Amino acid sequence: MSNTLSISAEEARRLAVASQRLAGPAPEGLWPVLRALRCLQLDPINVVARGHLLVLWSRLGDFDQAEVEGLLWQDRSLFEYWAHAASIVLTEDYPIHHLLMRRYPRDSRVWSLPSWPEVPELDEAEIVEQATQHALRSLGLARPAEIVRHFTRNRYPGLPELLERAPRRLWGFDFRTEMYVPKAKRLYGYYVLPILHGDRLVGRVAPRLDRRTGVLALEGVYAESDAGAELAPAVSDAITRLAAFIGARSITVSGPVSEQWVDHLSVQ
């Protein structure tokens, strides 16, 4: 008879955030993050920066973006693979992806491997066990269907995806992508990033980079009702660091800012 382990919602949030490398000391280099997440979705949306770069920045802070290209095209320790979505995956996980390629040959595309790596002699049960362990370590906690989806559907285990999968009661935060919502019906903006503080989601920001002028425009900065003014300096610092990472020369506020932050949020 198996034992059931019960944890609080706060403990569950902390486990998820830590597993995603979004808490604790910044990892030293790309590989701790890559091995924690196992895959990065290649999002074509480039309102601020490519999605996979934002995922890495949120864990590492400033990093050399050319290193990712080197791992893809010179070192070949990463490769691009299409299953449900275009992704960057680890070459060491090729046995997992090779199993999916065999199962769904018409839907499988590999773009950046010049030749197939040698596949270790693992049977299907061993590969499934390996994939399950990777998924659980990346997600922290998950339902069986979410474990399956980690390697077969949505390959972007960033915070937005984690939020959309996780029960709302865990976060108390209603997040959805509004890019495909008519402008008049959007609640927050076309491109919205959640703001994480500790294990709490305290707000969201709608940024847009004008690459011609180098201006990062904040089309809205929204605090949750329980997020106080004392968080404004940390939010401002995160926005400033994001601007530096994407090469913005200045920051402007072109939309609403929540009342508890409006007098304290300093951007320039």
Side-chain angles (χ1 to χ4, degrees):
M1 182 176 178
S2 61
N3 295 323
T4 300
L5 175 65
S6 296
I7 60 175
S8 67
E10 180 181 12
E11 289 170 328
R13 289 194 301 270
R14 290 182 175 181
L15 177 59
V17 169
S19 297
Q20 285 282 300
R21 297 299 191 270
L22 286 163
E28 295 184 5
L30 286 173
W31 276 108
V33 177
L34 293 171
R35 286 201 168 102
L37 302 183
R38 312 306 298 191
C39 47
L40 302 168
Q41 183 171 312
L42 286 169
D43 192 338
I45 304 300
N46 198 15
V47 176
V48 176
R50 296 290 301 278
H52 66 288
L53 297 177
L54 289 177
V55 169
L56 293 171
W57 171 80
S58 66
R59 278 92 174 154
L60 292 165
D62 195 21
F63 69 96
D64 183 1
Q65 300 177 35
E67 187 178 352
V68 179
E69 297 298 305
L71 294 175
L72 272 168
W73 305 109
Q74 281 81 49
D75 188 67
R76 300 287 185 176
S77 52
L78 303 175
F79 68 99
E80 295 179 359
Y81 173 58
W82 181 280
H84 178 75
S87 308
I88 294 174
V89 296
L90 279 63
T91 304
E92 65 190 48
D93 285 340
Y94 181 78
I96 296 172
H97 302 295
H98 186 248
L99 174 62
L100 297 175
M101 292 172 195
R102 296 201 308 268
R103 286 184 175 178
Y104 309 105
R106 293 183 180 180
D107 298 327
S108 297
R109 308 172 193 173
V110 176
W111 298 334
S112 65
L113 278 180
S115 60
W116 301 113
E118 290 189 15
V119 180
E121 293 295 328
L122 299 176
D123 61 32
E124 184 167 327
E126 291 175 306
I127 294 172
V128 169
E129 180 181 1
Q130 187 179 93
T132 300
Q133 291 176 352
H134 286 333
L136 275 173
R137 289 192 184 104
S138 174
L139 298 171
L141 69 165
R143 293 172 177 171
E146 294 166 347
I147 295 171
V148 172
R149 285 203 299 269
H150 187 73
F151 275 104
T152 59
R153 285 188 59 198
N154 296 315
R155 298 172 172 272
Y156 175 23
L159 192 56
E161 170 62 19
L162 187 66
L163 290 172
E164 290 179 349
R165 283 201 303 247
R168 287 188 175 90
R169 67 178 180 272
L170 186 64
W171 298 94
F173 190 85
D174 190 7
F175 182 88
R176 68 168 180 160
T177 301
E178 295 188 300
M179 287 180 283
Y180 306 109
V181 175
K183 186 175 182 178
K185 295 184 178 181
R186 292 174 192 152
L187 296 177
Y188 301 105
Y190 175 80
Y191 186 77
V192 178
L193 298 174
I195 301 171
L196 180 71
H197 184 77
D199 69 324
R200 295 172 52 217
L201 289 155
V202 299
R204 60 200 91 200
V205 58
R208 183 183 295 272
L209 176 64
D210 186 327
R211 290 176 173 80
R212 182 179 60 84
T213 63
V215 174
L216 178 63
L218 306 181
E219 299 176 343
V221 184
Y222 306 93
E224 291 295 280
S225 59
D226 60 347
E230 73 280 358
L231 297 179
V235 173
S236 175
D237 178 66
I239 292 171
T240 300
R241 287 186 286 107
L242 174 61
F245 174 69
I246 61 178
R249 293 190 291 271
S250 62
I251 305 170
T252 62
V253 178
S254 59
V257 178
S258 291
E259 181 179 0
Q260 61 264 54
W261 288 351
V262 70
D263 293 333
H264 303 271
L265 187 63
S266 174
V267 293
Q268 53 186 333

